Amino acid sequence: RVSKCALAEENDSRIIDVGVPLHIARTTMRFPRLLRASSEDLAAEATTSHATLREPGRHFCIVTTASLPWMTGTSVNPLLRAAYLAHRGETSCRVTLVVPWLPLCDQKLVHPNAIFENPEQQKEHVRGWLSGRVDFDPSFDIRFYPGRYAIDKGSIVPVGDVTECVPDEDADVAILEEPEHLTWFHHGMRWSDKFRHVVGIIHTNYLEYARREKDGERKEALLRGVNRTVTRAHCHKVIKLSDAVQDFARSVTVNVHGVSPHFIEVGRKIALAAEERSRRGEESSSNSSFTKGGYFIGKVVWAKGYLELLDRVKEYNETAAQKDKLVMDVFGNGDDFQEVKAASERERLALTFHGQADHASETTVGYKFFINPSLSDVVATTTAEALAMGKFVVCARHPSNEFFSTFANCRTYANSDEFAECVREVLHGEPEPISPDDLHRLTWQAATERFLDAAEPDAKKKLSLRQKLFETLSDWFAASCHNMFTASEAMRCLAGGGAGTLLTPDDADFACWEPDLWQGGIADRKEDQR
């Protein structure tokens, strides 16, 4: 906080005695400058060309909302994106991965089997995990920002202004993995003010989660507006992994995720084995690579598709012939594990719960088909991994599965009758060997190229002075209102941002940071979610 701030803008120096955070003063002072902007200034801004993201020497800062050893999509996928973006052979660029550091009390909740005393230990763990998943030596930096595990949300909330974790000289291209999540409670400089180009990647269908809670329709409507406001304020471009999520300004829909080489190699070996059997004239089912039936793997919370899984299995087995009964193994752990397992046992469903498992382990290789009935996913990584391993996939005909539906071994359904047809087909049939082209589409190399194409700055639209001024002032006004709202500790706590999350901890490396236990806001009712 400052009592006097010297703010100089375009040879117009002012001394402001406001007693407010410096970044609020700076944000407020931008308004007169915007009004004073001449038509020449705005015309020049509208026609400014941006260098391509493939130009050598670019610096990508990938900022995400989770980190290993928490095995979740927003920790794994940004990590692999950083590795493959830095490994592109034809051009040189710098890549920095920015991930949350949790205090000891939160680490015990999120990853109790791997506790770190300082960020360097966690960095070694992340690099060790990655070295076993890629076939090259990754060359990128890892930085940490302080975060808190919000028990009521089951996710991590940033603490302080995360833009401060990136030096000004490195502020070129920001890739915000879950931009809405990163900026719900963001207070400080706009990402789009600090970086030359900011790309947001939408991972999670938060509206679906809100819809399942008490007062879900109201929460969904409010969250929809907040998401649009914060992403517009902070992002130049938004990439939706699928159209399962809401609309955003300046957005495109492209699946920019891939799968680890392990899954690609499994699929390649199975395809070669099938080709060899065909060459010898053996039947496709003879000596098949698949020795087990069906399975599902995913974090065990109701919103991750478990309610749909139990319903689909129950409906199908009630009418299926004995030879067509669906028996499945379920892998995963999570907050709702005991409740989901108990619900399955009450209905006497043919589901066996095995607890946590790594999809890349030998445990899941022998299964022939993967069933994922989730309607809350944006793009399910596990579905992509199952396809890469040459398995059948059965999933809902839903925007989140549009990319997968183009693969030969994917079966989609829109109702219970179609689900039954899909199950009977995968029970008695054999998957086609996955083609080299389809395998390549699932690689991180292909996903990285799709990302670079989708993330390129849009060609500047030819806008009139009035239109440009209105758009600029609208973005400024939305960002300023949000910034002033999040400046209040009371309002942050009320909205669920948590106490003590406004300012960055004093400890430089966060190792001695010991915050109070997390307390949620009045809108947080996780116990009502299902």
Side-chain angles (χ1 to χ4, degrees), residues 236-255:
H236 297 111
K237 192 81 174 278
V238 172
I239 298 175
K240 303 192 299 179
L241 298 178
S242 76
D243 285 327
V245 297
Q246 69 179 88
D247 291 331
F248 292 89
R250 301 184 286 266
S251 67
V252 294
T253 302
V254 181
N255 178 14

Side-chain angles (χ1 to χ4, degrees), residues 114-430:
I115 303 297
F116 308 106
E117 296 180 357
N118 55 64
E120 284 300 317
Q121 290 181 354
Q122 186 168 0
K123 188 184 298 186
E124 290 179 9
H125 175 88
V126 170
R127 292 196 182 280
W129 182 91
L130 183 61
S131 65
R133 300 304 192 281
V134 298
D135 53 2
F136 56 88
D137 185 20
S139 57
F140 61 91
D141 297 327
I142 300 178
R143 291 180 179 271
F144 289 85
Y145 67 85
R148 293 299 314 275
Y149 180 66
I151 302 171
D152 42 276
K153 301 177 183 64
S155 60
I156 294 173
V157 173
V159 175
D161 182 359
V162 182
T163 66
E164 295 175 351
C165 298
V166 181
D168 290 344
E169 59 271 20
D170 293 341
D172 182 15
V173 180
I175 303 171
L176 304 186
E177 311 270 359
E178 294 202 306
E180 74 281 49
H181 184 154
L182 283 166
T183 56
W184 281 331
F185 305 104
H186 176 78
H187 179 71
M189 180 177 287
R190 285 172 66 182
W191 286 92
S192 53
D193 283 345
K194 179 157 185 171
F195 286 80
R196 293 177 61 190
H197 189 55
V198 182
V199 183
I201 302 178
I202 308 298
H203 286 247
T204 306
N205 191 352
Y206 286 110
L207 297 188
E208 180 66 24
Y209 292 163
R211 193 179 299 124
R212 293 168 181 255
E213 296 183 356
K214 186 177 179 180
D215 300 325
E217 291 185 2
R218 296 178 185 175
K219 288 184 179 181
E220 179 191 357
L222 176 61
L223 187 58
R224 184 186 299 274
V226 171
N227 288 348
R228 285 186 59 87
T229 298
V230 295
T231 52
R232 181 176 184 120
H234 292 279
C235 298
H236 297 111
K237 192 81 174 278
V238 172
I239 298 175
K240 303 192 299 179
L241 298 178
S242 76
D243 285 327
V245 297
Q246 69 179 88
D247 291 331
F248 292 89
R250 301 184 286 266
S251 67
V252 294
T253 302
V254 181
N255 178 14
V256 295
H257 285 178
V259 301
S260 296
H262 166 83
F263 302 102
I264 301 294
E265 188 59 27
V266 170
R268 184 177 289 113
K269 288 179 178 179
I270 289 175
L272 288 174
E275 183 180 331
E276 178 63 21
R277 289 195 299 272
S278 176
R279 188 182 64 81
R280 294 198 302 262
E282 299 176 3
E283 294 183 6
S284 61
S285 59
S286 174
N287 195 27
S288 171
S289 299
F290 302 109
T291 58
K292 304 176 186 178
Y295 76 108
F296 176 64
I297 186 169
K299 184 179 180 182
V300 187
V301 293
W302 284 112
K304 285 288 188 179
Y306 282 89
L307 184 62
E308 292 86 353
L309 177 66
L310 269 59
D311 287 345
R312 297 292 83 75
V313 173
K314 179 182 177 181
E315 290 172 357
Y316 173 80
N317 280 343
E318 282 178 345
T319 59
Q322 189 60 41
K323 65 182 179 65
D324 294 332
K325 292 291 186 182
L326 180 57
V327 179
M328 289 180 60
D329 290 329
V330 180
F331 299 92
N333 209 344
D335 295 343
D336 297 330
F337 180 85
Q338 294 300 332
E339 188 177 343
V340 172
K341 184 178 179 182
S344 174
E345 291 173 347
R346 282 196 303 271
E347 298 291 342
R348 298 182 179 180
L349 302 180
L351 300 175
T352 303
F353 290 80
H354 296 278
Q356 188 169 348
D358 188 342
H359 206 183
S361 69
E362 291 297 320
T363 305
T364 62
V365 171
Y367 288 93
K368 184 170 68 169
F369 60 92
F370 175 80
I371 295 182
N372 184 2
S374 175
L375 300 177
S376 64
D377 287 322
V378 179
V379 166
T381 302
T382 50
T383 299
E385 292 167 348
L387 283 171
M389 289 190 285
K391 305 176 188 298
F392 276 129
V393 162
V394 178
C395 56
R397 193 170 303 135
H398 186 260
S400 62
N401 297 317
E402 185 173 343
F403 177 77
F404 304 131
S405 67
T406 62
F407 288 79
N409 289 326
C410 182
R411 302 291 182 268
T412 62
Y413 62 89
N415 52 52
S416 57
D417 290 337
E418 291 183 4
F419 177 79
E421 290 178 13
C422 292
V423 170
R424 285 192 291 268
E425 180 181 355
V426 301
L427 277 172
H428 302 296
E430 283 293 316

Side-chain angles (χ1 to χ4, degrees), residues 463-476:
L463 301 177
S464 67
L465 174 60
R466 181 188 299 273
Q467 290 173 319
K468 184 62 181 177
L469 184 61
F470 177 78
E471 183 177 283
T472 303
L473 289 178
S474 297
D475 288 356
W476 172 87

